[in-house]
Amino acid sequence: TNDDALAATLRGVRLHGFLIEKYYHDIYGTNLKMDAMQAAFLSLKLQRLDQANARRREIANRYRAGLAGLPLTMPPDVGTGHVYHHFVVETERRDELQKFLSEQGIGNGVYYPVPIHVQKSMARFGGQVGDCPVTERNVKRILSLPMFAEMRDDEADEVMAAVKKFYVCPVLQL
């Protein structure tokens, strides 16, 4: 199109409704980004899906064992039903931990910083701050640690060492 406003709106619809800033849904959108090339790669990856999910469970178990005793809430082991697309921990010190991990070169993410009921795109449903207090508390406490099927044990160990350093050596964080 030669209409810049229309092009921006269509990009927003394609990207979950993000018009200006990621994770802030200005309009109702969806996730329509797969092209033919991505579909071809995905069809090959699907052949190894069970092995990839098993590896993610191994990494999750490694994290749970290695981070036990720290003031973190971690996802429970639910057997083979969980595929750990993300490994989300919960902590009172989320922002501090996120900053520390980033400074250490450890990837991390806050994928849902704004509850859906207060997103601009959902205003028509009348959601207000205070309607979902557990959700509103949790979005300030959750942080995703690196998780991917190709992750090596030494990479998971590096993540755990950084998290432990954060909690065990607070004087180093000044």
Side-chain angles (χ1 to χ4, degrees):
T1 180
N2 61 358
D3 182 331
D4 292 342
L6 176 61
T9 299
L10 292 174
R11 274 193 297 278
V13 168
R14 180 183 64 120
L15 297 169
H16 299 287
F18 309 150
L19 293 180
I20 299 168
E21 185 176 355
K22 190 173 185 179
Y23 302 122
Y24 292 82
H25 307 272
D26 301 296
I27 59 174
Y28 182 79
T30 187
N31 187 3
L32 302 172
K33 299 178 286 190
M34 187 180 298
D35 59 30
M37 184 69 79
Q38 290 170 323
F41 286 120
L42 181 59
S43 68
L44 294 173
K45 287 189 83 166
L46 282 173
Q47 297 169 19
R48 297 188 305 273
L49 182 61
D50 290 338
Q51 297 92 329
N53 289 339
R55 177 60 183 154
R56 286 172 174 270
R57 283 188 287 277
E58 288 174 13
I59 296 163
N61 288 332
R62 189 176 191 87
Y63 276 159
R64 271 192 292 277
L67 299 174
L70 296 177
L72 297 170
T73 301
M74 293 179 274
D77 180 2
V78 294
T80 61
H82 201 311
V83 297
Y84 299 98
H85 174 65
H86 295 291
F87 191 86
V88 181
V89 298
E90 184 179 338
T91 175
E92 291 285 340
R93 298 176 62 198
R94 188 273 307 275
D95 293 340
E96 297 167 70
L97 177 58
Q98 181 181 32
K99 181 176 186 272
F100 181 79
L101 292 175
S102 295
E103 289 169 352
Q104 303 299 307
I106 304 292
N108 60 82
V110 176
Y111 293 103
Y112 306 104
V114 179
I116 192 71
H117 68 283
V118 294
Q119 292 281 357
K120 184 177 176 183
S121 63
M122 298 292 130
R124 67 184 180 273
F125 298 112
Q128 301 291 319
V129 172
D131 288 349
C132 300
V134 174
T135 298
E136 293 165 22
R137 177 184 74 95
N138 287 347
V139 297
K140 297 173 185 170
R141 297 169 47 93
I142 57 175
L143 181 67
S144 294
L145 299 181
M147 171 59 76
F148 51 98
E150 299 80 11
M151 187 176 212
R152 300 184 318 265
D153 286 349
D154 65 301
E155 291 173 318
D157 292 345
E158 184 180 347
V159 172
M160 291 184 291
V163 172
K164 288 177 187 176
K165 182 177 178 182
F166 173 79
Y167 284 107
V168 175
C169 302
V171 78
L172 297 177
Q173 299 165 38
L174 298 176

